[in-house]
Amino acid sequence: MNRPSVLARAAGALALAAVTALGGVVATPTVSAATAESPYVNPAPGLRNVLWVGNNWEGTADAVQPDGDFHRIARINIIPDRNERLTEIYRDPARLALYLGIRQMVGEGHDQYVDDMYSTKDGRHLIVSRPSFADVVSIDIVTGEIAWRFPVQGFRSDHMAVSPDGSQVAVSASTAKLVHVLDTATGREIGTFPSGDNAHENAYIKGGTQIVNESIGNVWTPLDQPWADVTKGDRVLQFVDAETLQIIKRVDLRARLAEAGRPELSIGVRPMTFSPDYRFMYFQVSFFHGFIEYDIDADTITRIVDLPVTPAGDVPREAHLLDSGHHGISMNPQGTKICVAGTMSDYATVVDRETLQHGPLVSTGLKSYWVTTDLTGENCFVSWAKSNTVSVLSFETGEEVARIPVGYHPQRMRIGVAPQDWGGNPVPLPAPGNPLPVFS
């Protein structure tokens, strides 16, 4: 996961810009609202909760027992149609140029097959965004077959969010600067709304009535110093009406940071989490080793938390992984603790929400890249992208209580459901690594 060289990044940026110019066709409650709204609480008879782990460079997803011995239940092939997709790409010069540019820039020389994933509420399908194929697919968990496929606008799909009732999924089309909202049962597009450059994470909040969306800007450019901030493009933090898909408000984050005395910080918003009542939002921004507390109702930044920078993370901006400083944050359901991935510094830690004091720096892997919380608030899960493992951290002690081996380059993790008696499917798994295309 070494950062590509400046020359390689510049070459990839030129390729990306060139093809994009062609038109982009191709007081804290005891239980958090996020948990109460989850479609995965109290699953129906015949289903069980699982932790889904997306192995981005391998093209698989692991289903892990989210408590007890944390054993891996099964592994699913997310790219059973790989040859068909690659044939389409290699026959289209414009798509091929972007495909190879994304591989070099965002994928660090690897294809990106699994960005985000959510299981459907009935436990029958796993919905996955596949960046390199610029699509979203629904995979039958039992048979491994693709039930539906939706190609996004532009050349890359990214983060997703599922509605509290499980009926809709919002997926960022990063190069098209918009978000698609799809019906989870059919893959039919319900509508879209605009975002910024490199549309990134989405989250349904307030009973599913709003979608929070943000964009991180042009993380693939080699110009990372503050004086070149304008080259990062349009970065937004916005609140969207989930029914009409109209933008309710866009936050002037540059002004809010200046008011908070930190005008030097980037406005490229990374992962985010929310207080149980959705009054406060906690989010990370590009290059920053820490996180920000934002009062949504008052539209003001209330606290900015600087966390430790280890020798591994004490590097120039140009060496940060896709502009990440910290990339991964999640609050426990009780709203008292925040689990943070210190990505560039190779640690994870639990922060007390009231005092903002951090616990032990857990450094049992390399490149912590995502955090999610179990449904009880006992533990959080941290993926180590460069170590192919997931750590289980206790919210109470901040210590690692288990470590789970997973697939190649794990990133996004989501709590979901699967059939109680399911133990895998017959679809062959892809070979590890990034083999050359083989067309049938």
Side-chain angles (χ1 to χ4, degrees):
M1 288 191 50
N2 292 329
R3 179 84 162 185
S5 70
V6 170
L7 287 177
R9 293 169 64 202
L14 287 173
L16 190 60
V19 183
T20 302
L22 295 177
V25 294
V26 217
T28 307
T30 56
V31 179
S32 80
T35 297
E37 293 176 2
S38 171
Y40 312 114
V41 175
N42 300 320
L47 300 179
R48 61 175 166 182
N49 285 121
V50 299
L51 172 70
W52 291 104
V53 182
N55 304 309
N56 193 12
W57 293 352
E58 184 176 85
T60 65
D62 285 327
V64 174
Q65 182 67 29
D67 51 23
D69 64 0
F70 304 103
H71 70 280
R72 190 180 76 197
I73 299 165
R75 179 170 289 170
I76 292 182
N77 181 9
I78 301 302
I79 49 172
D81 58 338
R82 178 174 181 269
N83 281 356
E84 181 181 353
R85 301 281 79 80
L86 288 177
T87 299
E88 292 174 350
I89 292 169
Y90 274 73
R91 287 174 177 171
D92 184 331
R95 286 189 64 188
L96 177 60
L98 246 297
Y99 172 81
L100 296 176
I102 290 171
R103 174 192 284 177
Q104 181 64 33
M105 292 295 89
V106 187
E108 304 168 76
H110 298 80
D111 290 328
Q112 294 187 302
Y113 292 132
V114 186
D115 188 272
D116 214 341
M117 82 240 94
Y118 287 93
S119 54
T120 54
K121 190 175 181 178
D122 60 9
R124 293 180 56 188
H125 297 93
L126 188 66
I127 298 173
V128 187
S129 58
R130 306 188 300 181
S132 286
F133 294 160
D135 65 10
V136 183
V137 292
S138 177
I139 296 179
D140 188 303
I141 290 175
V142 174
T143 68
E145 297 177 349
I146 294 177
W148 56 255
R149 173 175 179 261
F150 180 87
V152 303
Q153 291 189 38
F155 297 92
R156 188 177 181 277
S157 54
D158 204 83
H159 285 250
M160 301 194 300
V162 69
S163 61
D165 64 2
S167 67
Q168 298 180 6
V169 63
V171 57
S172 289
S174 55
T175 65
K177 300 176 62 173
L178 60 79
V179 175
H180 297 275
V181 179
L182 311 177
D183 183 299
T184 56
T186 65
R188 177 182 62 86
E189 182 180 81
I190 296 169
T192 66
F193 60 85
S195 184
D197 287 298
N198 259 310
H200 199 231
E201 195 177 2
N202 303 289
Y204 281 86
I205 67 170
K206 298 187 177 182
T209 61
Q210 294 183 20
I211 302 171
V212 183
N213 164 257
E214 42 88 351
S215 59
I216 55 176
N218 301 321
V219 299
W220 37 267
T221 71
L223 301 175
D224 292 336
Q225 292 302 316
W227 61 264
D229 183 75
V230 67
T231 68
K232 292 299 181 182
D234 185 25
R235 288 148 293 171
V236 303
L237 170 59
Q238 61 188 11
F239 294 77
V240 179
D241 186 295
E243 181 177 1
T244 66
L245 301 185
Q246 297 300 303
I247 297 171
I248 300 170
K249 75 168 180 177
R250 281 192 171 184
V251 178
D252 187 344
L253 191 53
R254 178 70 69 207
R256 300 291 85 78
L257 286 168
E259 291 167 359
R262 298 295 295 270
E264 82 283 4
L265 294 183
S266 170
I267 60 170
V269 179
R270 315 303 294 226
M272 53 190 170
T273 191
F274 299 86
S275 63
D277 58 3
Y278 292 114
R279 172 67 184 270
F280 292 94
M281 173 180 169
Y282 299 81
F283 62 93
Q284 297 156 321
V285 295
S286 295
F287 307 111
F288 183 48
H289 297 248
F291 61 89
I292 295 167
E293 179 186 72
Y294 170 68
D295 186 324
I296 295 173
D297 293 347
D299 187 24
T300 186
I301 291 173
T302 46
R303 295 186 291 182
I304 297 179
V305 185
D306 289 270
L307 290 173
V309 180
T310 69
D314 189 15
V315 295
R317 280 190 172 211
E318 291 77 10
H320 281 63
L321 177 62
L322 299 174
D323 294 359
S324 298
H326 285 189
H327 192 283
I329 187 169
S330 186
M331 185 176 292
N332 67 344
Q334 295 77 16
T336 59
K337 300 288 183 70
I338 302 171
C339 192
V340 178
T343 306
M344 289 304 301
S345 286
D346 293 333
Y347 69 72
T349 191
V350 173
V351 178
D352 184 280
R353 182 184 168 201
E354 180 179 359
T355 66
L356 300 183
Q357 296 300 305
H358 67 83
L361 302 185
V362 177
S363 300
T364 54
L366 298 175
K367 292 297 175 284
S368 50
Y369 213 71
W370 193 253
V371 176
T372 197
T373 302
D374 67 13
L375 293 175
T376 66
E378 182 178 358
N379 300 308
C380 62
F381 302 97
V382 180
S383 61
W384 301 97
K386 199 173 181 179
S387 298
N388 303 330
T389 57
V390 170
S391 285
V392 185
L393 269 59
S394 164
F395 270 116
E396 181 179 358
T397 67
E399 300 284 358
E400 183 185 66
V401 297
R403 196 177 312 158
I404 309 163
V406 292
Y408 188 39
H409 199 73
Q411 289 189 291
R412 218 73 63 235
M413 300 175 291
R414 304 292 187 184
I415 293 289
V417 290
Q420 182 69 47
D421 57 356
W422 171 72
N425 60 58
V427 179
L429 296 174
N434 188 41
L436 293 174
V438 177
F439 302 125
S440 56

